[in-house]
Amino acid sequence: MKNKKYLKILIVTIVAVLLIGFIAALIIKPLIRKKLEAAFNRENSDYIVTIDKVKISIIPAGLELEKVSIDTKKDFSGILDVKGVIGSIQIKGINLIKAVFRKDLIIRKMYFSESSFKVNISSPRDALVPIVLPINITIGIVLFDKVNL
């Protein structure tokens, strides 16, 4: 009798884990991709950022963005004309509690791989306009692999 009880608990646990994974694949990943693209493609931004695929990991808390394309908008009026693709961006060690409640984004490690960019600078004498974010960002380590400029 006890074995059947433990077997039922085990089956319910496995089904719950699979259901959470299924919900994450169908709802959370596209939601994260849309939120990131909306944040990068604000109205006052001169660039269009598209993300092909998002992978999330719970333990350790992390995020992987695959095939991130950055392109200058048609009505570009800034200094840097950028066109490029980043093969993969891996973000590891996100402190979720501080990110959600305190608006402090603390990242242990960022890894950029297979990046390729073409950049035209219109005038080196003009100043770049700084980007102001409503969140504090701290990144421990940033690594690059195969950067083509």
Side-chain angles (χ1 to χ4, degrees), residues 31-144:
L31 182 68
I32 289 173
R33 184 176 61 81
K34 288 177 185 176
K35 290 275 188 181
L36 286 172
E37 284 181 352
F40 288 130
N41 299 326
R42 314 185 292 259
E43 281 189 33
N44 60 354
S45 176
D46 288 332
Y47 307 102
I48 298 171
V49 178
T50 57
I51 301 168
D52 189 41
K53 194 174 189 182
V54 174
K55 294 180 181 177
I56 55 174
S57 65
I58 306 297
I59 301 174
L63 191 65
E64 182 176 355
L65 310 173
E66 291 185 358
K67 197 175 178 190
V68 178
S69 301
I70 302 170
D71 200 4
T72 305
K73 289 184 179 177
K74 300 287 185 197
D75 57 346
F76 175 66
S77 62
I79 298 167
L80 295 175
D81 184 15
V82 178
K83 182 173 182 136
V85 176
I86 301 171
S88 173
I89 302 173
Q90 294 178 1
I91 303 169
K92 296 183 179 180
I94 301 171
N95 191 333
L96 294 174
I97 295 171
K98 287 187 178 180
V100 172
F101 295 112
R102 294 189 196 166
K103 297 213 174 199
D104 289 333
L105 184 59
I106 299 174
I107 299 170
R108 190 179 72 232
K109 185 182 199 182
M110 282 184 81
Y111 182 71
F112 295 85
S113 64
E114 299 178 18
S115 302
S116 176
F117 285 98
K118 182 180 177 184
V119 179
N120 293 324
I121 301 174
S122 62
S123 174
R125 295 180 188 200
D126 295 334
L128 292 174
V129 178
I131 299 173
V132 179
L133 298 173
I135 189 169
N136 298 323
I137 300 176
T138 305
I139 302 173
I141 299 171
V142 178
L143 300 172
F144 293 93

